[in-house]
Amino acid sequence: MARYWLMKSEPDAYSWDDLEAEGEGLWDGVRNHRAKNNLAAMSVGDQAFFYHSNIGKEIVGIVEITETGLTDPSDERGKWAAVKVKPKTKLPHGVSLKDMKAAEQLADCELVTQSRLSVAEIKPQEWSIILSMAGI
């Protein structure tokens, strides 16, 4: 069964447009144990929201997980995880963290409860609510 995720990136470091230009990108640089565990739990075909952090603070697109079980090449000790992703859909309009926090149905969403977490799990009902907020 497919699962849903949210992956954060600072757009001045790696943006949705950067991923679209690449066609497929390596999601690495995660240095939080909960986020690492979320990366390790991903399966090929899972989908994730692409979230611009710091600048914008909004979900801007949907990516598909294309390769899992990778070791982060920037980690010399080999203990941190990485996955590959490809862009699937740019959202008709972004969904801001402010709007998600204001939505009562998203009160338990990992992004809302642990807003500093760089890779979060999104429950199926949360996924549907956020898609609706984005105009899909």
Side-chain angles (χ1 to χ4, degrees), residues 3-128:
R3 293 171 75 183
Y4 300 103
W5 309 94
L6 180 136
M7 303 169 86
K8 290 182 179 183
S9 182
E10 296 175 15
D12 55 346
Y14 190 73
S15 70
W16 172 262
D17 292 339
D18 294 331
L19 177 60
E20 279 194 317
E22 281 186 348
E24 183 178 53
L26 180 69
W27 206 275
D28 60 356
V30 171
R31 298 295 185 266
N32 171 285
H33 289 286
R34 173 69 181 149
K36 171 194 159 193
N37 291 342
N38 283 341
L39 284 174
M42 291 179 179
S43 297
V44 171
D46 283 357
Q47 294 181 45
F49 287 124
F50 190 112
Y51 179 91
H52 279 170
S53 62
N54 292 344
I55 301 168
K57 294 186 181 180
E58 65 180 351
I59 296 171
V60 296
I62 298 171
V63 301
E64 183 175 319
I65 311 306
T66 57
E67 193 172 343
T68 61
L70 303 173
T71 300
D72 186 334
S74 68
D75 173 22
E76 293 176 7
R77 294 194 281 169
K79 76 176 202 172
W80 297 103
V83 298
K84 284 190 178 179
V85 300
K86 68 178 181 183
K88 187 171 179 188
T89 306
K90 185 170 184 173
L91 297 182
H93 57 83
V95 179
S96 72
L97 178 60
K98 181 180 177 182
D99 288 344
M100 286 182 277
K101 285 183 173 184
E104 186 176 312
Q105 311 96 312
L106 298 176
D108 295 329
C109 181
E110 212 170 37
L111 174 66
V112 172
T113 61
Q114 298 181 49
S115 61
R116 295 185 50 86
L117 190 60
S118 63
V119 179
E121 185 168 10
I122 301 293
K123 296 175 188 147
Q125 66 271 25
E126 295 166 345
W127 183 265
S128 296

